Amino acid sequence: MAFFTASILLILIGLYAVLVKRNIMKIVIGLSLMDTGVNLLIVSLGFIRGRTAPIINVKDLLFNTSSKVVDPLPQALVLTAIVIGVAVTAVALSIVMLMYSKKGTLEIDEYKELKW
Amino acid sequence: MVARIFYAFLILLGGIAYGLLLGGISRKITARLQNRRGPTIFQNFIDVWKLFRKKTAISHGVMFYLAPMFRLVGGAGTFLLVPIVVGHPYLSNFSFGGDLIVIMYFMVLGCLGMALGAAESGHPHSPIAVTRGLSLMAGYELPFVVSVVVLMIADKTTTVEGIVRAQQGGILHWHIFTHPFAAAAAFISLLGMMMSYPFQVVMAPQEIPIGPPTEYSSSFLSYMFSGRSVFAVAKYVLFMDLFLGGATNLGWAFLKTFLIFLWPLFITNVFPRFKLEQAVSFFWTWPTLIGLIDLIRIYIVR
Amino acid sequence: MVNPILIIAITLASAFFIGILQVYSKLWARLFFFLTLVFDFFAAGANFYGFLSGRITEPILVKIGGFPPPIGINLLVGKPEAAIGFLIFTIALLGAYHWERKGFPEPQGKIMVLFLLLSLGAAGITFTGDFFNLFVFIEITSIAAYGLVASAKTEKSVEAAFKYMVVGSISSTFILLSVVFLYKATGSLNMMDIASRIRNISLTPIYILILLMFLAGLLIELEVFPINGWALDVYQGADPVVVAVLAGAVVKAFYLVFLKAGTYLTLPSFFTLSLIFGGGTYLVSQFIAWRQKDVKRFLGYSSVAQLGLLILSAGFFLNPTLPAFSKHLIGASIVLFIFNHSFAKSSLFLLADNVKSSQLHGWRGILNKNPLFKFIFSTSVFSITGVPPFPGFWAKLLLIFAIPKNCSWVIGLILVGALGEIVYYYRLFREASEGEGEKVGTNLAAPLTGAILLIGAGLVAWKMFATQMGIMFNSTILLLLAFSIAIYILGFSRILQWAGSLAVVGYGIYRMVPEMGANLHGFFLALVLVGSALLLLATYPTSKRTSWTFYPAYLVVVFSMAGLVLARNWLTLFVFWELMSWASFVLINMGSRAKKAAWIYAIFSAIGAYSMLAGIYLLPGLSLTHLKVAGIMVPLLLVTGFLVKMATAPLHVWARDAYGESPDEFTPLLSGIISKMGVFGSLIAILYVIGNISSGPSFRYILGWLGALTAFFMTLIAVFQDDLKRLLAYSSVGQVGYILIGLAIASPLGWNAALYHTVNHFIFKGLLFVAAAGIIYRVGTSYMPRMGGLIRRMPLTFLSTLVAIIALAGIPPISGFAGKWLLYSALIEKGWIFITVVTFLASTVAFLYCFKILHSVFLGQLQEENSNVKEVPFPLAIVEAILFVSLGVLGAFPRLLLDPINRVFAGIPGMESPGFHYEKTLGVVSNLGHWNALFLMVFFVGSFLLALIFFAITSARVKKVGQLDVGYSGEVPKSPEDLHFGYGLYDHFRKAVKWFIYPMVTKIWEGIYEWISAFAEIVRRIYTGNVNTYAAYVILISIIIFYFFTGVK
């Protein structure tokens, strides 16, 4: 439950940054935080108390594996999700760079040319 | 048929003569009212004859040339479509040719032809007068139509004969008594039709002397004059048929049409002149409202 | 069959390879890029063709890594997936080709990589059968899309990319969360597997929340209102090619996922949600666009609206209570919508790429620069706004008729939205065709392909669905329509086109003779074909101005009218009705000052057509037989459509300019025959529907009043027009008012009057407009005070105009009187006395403008600048002669027309007796009165000749004088200009009736337009342009969805 709460909190903090912060960098950080929160949440979903990581490098995991390890699928998913998160952050940062090079500011209020 | 055409021709001549005579009388009465001696009551005959005998005539074009014929044929045609004595072999005229609706539209033909000829003359006064005349017509047509519709609905017919027949059986069956409001509306609109004085905007001597036929002269004018006279008689006869129970013989016809003729004459001499828009507004309000009383009555009791 | 994984894998591999290759050779990289896209195109095409031809019957299942479905990731490609896949690569190829022709944007290599990733991501979204895989593909697509949007490197594009990225990240967070929770709840990620498992799970609020989260994520990607600000910004800011691919292809992949979500994740509130968000988005976007001045953003609003309609359709499509046939129709409609929107919108965006400015005023006149551009633009706009025979039309029709009757308010929503769409699209059309604009680019190959595909798809849809809907087409009409289009190729010579058109119409008459005259349909058919042939004769191309498309469009109008009157089914009638309306829109738009008029015409046509469509939808059956209808709603809707074409008040405001400014060659048809289609429609509506409703008489009484008021007010306004064609326009509208009165009376006399006047009005108003065309051609203006005295130059035209005017005024002995006489007799017989009075007055007022036409044009003083004009061109003179002779002949022998009319009505119950009979002396005798036309003619002509001869013999020498020789207070006038009284002819009368001619109705319509615009202005302010706000809307809407639809309160 602690994982659960913490990750939800992380998502909300990220969301707060996206909704409220005026600085573009902070918004990107917020997105990144959200991403992390989601990843944590996914991992926590697969967590089962008293079990070990689903990496079969120890002898006694070879038999009855499914009763000894946590759910491996969320972890596999999270790996993908992390990679995607990194990619998104990279693209986001490069867009931010472009924005800064155009207008020389990171204030979001300066970027309202497209509206209505 | 030949006999019929012959008699129609006679009746038409009579109508023209009667019309010219009424014109003369009207000039005389007007003069007397104004403390003048006035011309003789036969003055209009003299005028027509004089104009007809003129040696040259000026023409401005084809339509100008044809317009007097239009005027004469329009007036004469209207006169011949209205029965003078219903049921009479000759005096019922050519009333088989059409009912009241036909007559009301045929009436316009002469005016239209005259207007076109006048307009072709190229004199600016002519179209001014014509447009005034047409506008005035739009004015007085409304109360007239209201009362005509009352009669048509009341008598369940659109023929003049039918309307006359519906008034037989005593003076109180005349529509002027059975539908007094409709009759009042129609008689007020007659003032417009006759261009008597409060509504005299077409000839309007002070502004556009003579009105539409400004450019007309000599024999052209004589045709127009005759046409207008017989047209006036046609309207009197029509009003007689519609409101005064028609006529059983020529004597009654003369009497009743003469009475109708006197009505605008009396009005015309005691009133000043409306402007056109005032005239139209007047026609579209008071006489129409009066006529509507009977229309609504008919609508309810029907 | 090509393994779908190959498409994805090869594209992915090639994307990476290009990334390396471009370092060494840009040319080879581009070659490789196109090779990949072409391969994808053919591979996806092969799969789709396999499904179409029936060679592939089962969905293609790809087991990745050899694991069977529930365990391993797999792709599942059925017919819909194959179709969308093919669509994606077609659009992608078109877009890439457009780039190639334009000059590939820099940095080429990176853009190519991103472009490939975007297409393969979209394909993956479409093909995948696994939820997590779906998420991955969504991310691939999104990241590529962010990059591509930003790649234009303008301030706007970068800004748009950033907003897209922020909102897109929130959306993918939602999707990822719900996918994982879904796994937690069901223990599976496979779509089919989850679908089967979920049926066994009780839907607790938590599950519903999970599903809703997925849906919310999708709704963000599907650009629903109000969480679509990012999308609009992308449409406005990004490179048009990117936008074309996003709007045309990528969004469609998301839509397919939406459909799958609706199918697999049996969500109870799916229907409600899609109705609210789809319908809301559709309706709101169609109106917000009204105020939009940026063309690309405006197209964005339209895209959003179309998507909304698709979402709404999805709700109905997946509604289990829908009958199978309706489901089939909606499915077809969705396919058509997707196709239509993908190609039409991509074409429009690619066209926008050819225009320098994206502002509305920057588009001014660009259509007149390049005919190809105009063709593509018109095709795309027509298709999007649902003009037959384009796919958009069929899509809308299928959707509407598939929606069950208990949801009929949805029809209202769809049609109102469609009306909004017409308003702003045709404003763009108006702007783009007005005047001479800047040069446009010539990179048109890709959009041209789109336009051709649209036409093809429209025809295929016509063939496939028309019969399923019960729409029957006369094969001769179709053949003739094909000929009409074919006339286009003769465009190098106008004369040849004219002759060819005459030949086609002649052939049409020859083929259609057996159908003519026998009944109501045949009667109108004869009017349409013979009348059009005559008026076509008078379009003799005197000027080089005539556009290549004039004759094709003219013939399409003619033959769609023929098809319309032959229809035995309301829907067939509607299809031809729309065809006629829009073809005449094209024709009106050809007038050099008619752009605004055409716009208003389009709007009112649409009001009419949509209200008619709603009426048809509500009818209990589609065939033209007596239908039992309760209430006043259905006939009202039905008849509104027809009243628009008749320009009955208060739907008349389009008429003045449409008649006044349309090409002079076309106006006779518009007034003479097209308006009569409204008469035909009203007649059959009264006959088959209105006659049966309980409130029938009162409804007809209202119609009668509408006719009378139209006649009165239009006549009154006509009096004050100084423009010849506008005057005739108002006159025409007023005259059709009389016809409506006759129709409304619905007694034998009344209908005789109506039909008689219909034909008669065609003759005299056709004649007047033909004469007007000739006069305007010779004099060079339609402003009457600049004319005058033309009787001396155009005697034949004067004579025919005079006769036509006498007919118009209804003065015996010319034929116009017959209609008046029958009408008044019918009115008095019926006892509608107040209407009688108004009608009488209207026809008296008509004399005023009758004189005005004759005087201002032909009489009075001939102006100096007109002293050399000649008689109208010969073909026009022939037509004038034919028409005025027929007016005279009909005047003397009205039975020539009355007998056929009576034969037409003989077959209709209650109409067997015409309400009058003939007698030798009295002529036509009704129950009330009589009228002897022949006598009047002989009497008048005879006495006129007699008087004339007598005058000629007896009178004095007649001396002809010059036009300036008038008695003028002793002065000698110098110039005709001083003497001509042509301006302000009825100013005095205007003072008397100023209260009646206040343009109240126009002001009301303008007011409605202004109010909606103002409302749109307020609503569109929610798109503040601030990304915080956009994100806040997303969260807010999601919370609202979660709150209201999970069932937890």
Side-chain angles (χ1 to χ4, degrees), chain C residues 48-72:
Chain C
F48 181 52
Y49 182 74
F51 279 107
L52 269 193
S53 62
R55 213 168 301 153
I56 310 176
T57 46
E58 290 291 304
I60 308 166
L61 179 70
V62 183
K63 297 169 220 163
I64 292 169
F67 292 105
I71 296 170

Side-chain angles (χ1 to χ4, degrees), chain C residues 349-360:
Chain C
F349 275 117
L350 295 183
L351 280 186
D353 193 33
N354 280 303
V355 183
K356 251 185 229 140
S357 165
S358 76
Q359 292 298 307
L360 194 58

